Amino acid sequence: WKINDTTKINAALQMLLRLRGLETLRVPLKALVAFVKDVRLLYHQRNMYHNFSHALDVMQACFCFLTTFEAGKFLTDVDQLTLMLAALVHDVDHPGTNNLFQNATQSDLSLMFHGQSVLESHSCSVSMMLAKKHGLLKYLPANECRSLKNNIIKAVMATDMAAHFDVLGKAEELGAMVEAGDLPFDADGRLAII
């Protein structure tokens, strides 16, 4: 089945709006719409996996965790928005190769990011430039803006497959803490959920 881009963009926007994205960011709807549309444009259609459909799939899974499975009750509105925005942008402008290829070919991206989490670093850079272009974070208090940016970057960087087993280990620890009712609700505990 095939879903057109307008429907995909609307689905992403609806999830952000249902989680109070406009109220949290304090931005006009047109700024959020323009941001999501630009993100869509920077996901390459020719990329068979790391495309906008994949980003929307990851967003929808996160939305389910936050709503249906009630993980959102452990997070602030800013934390929830952080997770959703990270899901949206985590592979933005992905060229369709992997970090090993980027480093082996000494690509411009590899050189720019010193061979470290090349594609994840690039997605972070592109997404922060888009956020600035659309004034997405300019109405947030400085501490919330810093936290949102830092945590989006941490969440996207955690998608590097080189860190996969470390992330899985942390997820298992988090699961055990939740089961024991021992989850810290400070910033570090909420970041672990994200």
Side-chain angles (χ1 to χ4, degrees):
W1 50 276
K2 202 151 175 78
I3 299 174
N4 67 37
D5 282 348
T6 301
T7 301
K8 291 175 191 174
I9 289 166
N10 287 338
L13 287 166
Q14 285 302 314
M15 287 185 275
L16 292 169
L17 294 174
R18 292 250 334 259
L19 293 173
R20 300 177 31 80
L22 283 181
E23 295 87 350
T24 302
L25 291 171
R26 302 169 183 94
V27 295
L29 178 60
K30 68 180 183 177
L32 187 60
V33 170
F35 173 78
V36 172
K37 284 182 174 180
D38 266 3
V39 168
R40 160 56 203 103
L41 289 174
L42 288 172
Y43 271 100
H44 306 293
Q45 298 249 46
R46 72 183 188 288
N47 192 325
M48 296 302 291
Y49 183 75
H50 297 102
N51 54 42
F52 192 66
S53 293
H54 168 65
L56 190 62
D57 183 42
V58 173
M59 269 189 93
Q60 194 275 330
C62 291
F63 183 78
C64 255
F65 287 125
L66 293 172
T67 57
T68 304
F69 301 124
E70 299 181 343
K73 69 184 177 185
F74 300 109
L75 301 172
T76 67
D77 288 346
V78 171
D79 294 332
Q80 291 183 49
L81 187 61
T82 297
L83 177 61
M84 295 301 289
L85 289 173
L88 176 65
V89 302
H90 78 279
D91 279 327
V92 69
D93 203 31
H94 196 294
T97 59
N98 61 25
N99 287 331
L100 290 174
F101 176 85
Q102 294 292 321
N103 291 333
T105 61
Q106 295 185 354
S107 71
D108 289 346
L109 288 177
S110 178
L111 296 173
M112 185 181 307
F113 296 110
H114 311 290
Q116 301 297 310
S117 301
V118 174
L119 297 174
E120 296 76 17
S121 296
H122 179 62
S123 291
C124 288
S125 179
V126 169
S127 62
M128 291 301 124
M129 285 190 277
L130 288 177
K132 182 178 180 180
K133 173 184 174 183
H134 295 290
L136 208 62
L137 309 177
K138 73 179 182 182
Y139 299 108
L140 283 174
N143 64 325
E144 286 183 12
C145 180
R146 201 170 25 259
S147 173
L148 187 120
K149 285 180 4 182
N150 289 341
N151 290 339
I152 287 173
I153 290 167
K154 287 176 184 175
V156 172
M157 296 303 282
T159 66
D160 184 349
M161 291 307 293
H164 181 71
F165 293 106
D166 184 46
V167 171
L168 281 181
K170 288 178 182 174
E172 288 175 7
E173 289 174 21
L174 179 63
M177 291 171 74
V178 169
E179 284 182 16
D182 204 17
L183 183 67
F185 290 101
D186 61 2
D188 289 337
R190 293 191 322 269
L191 178 60
I193 295 171
I194 293 171

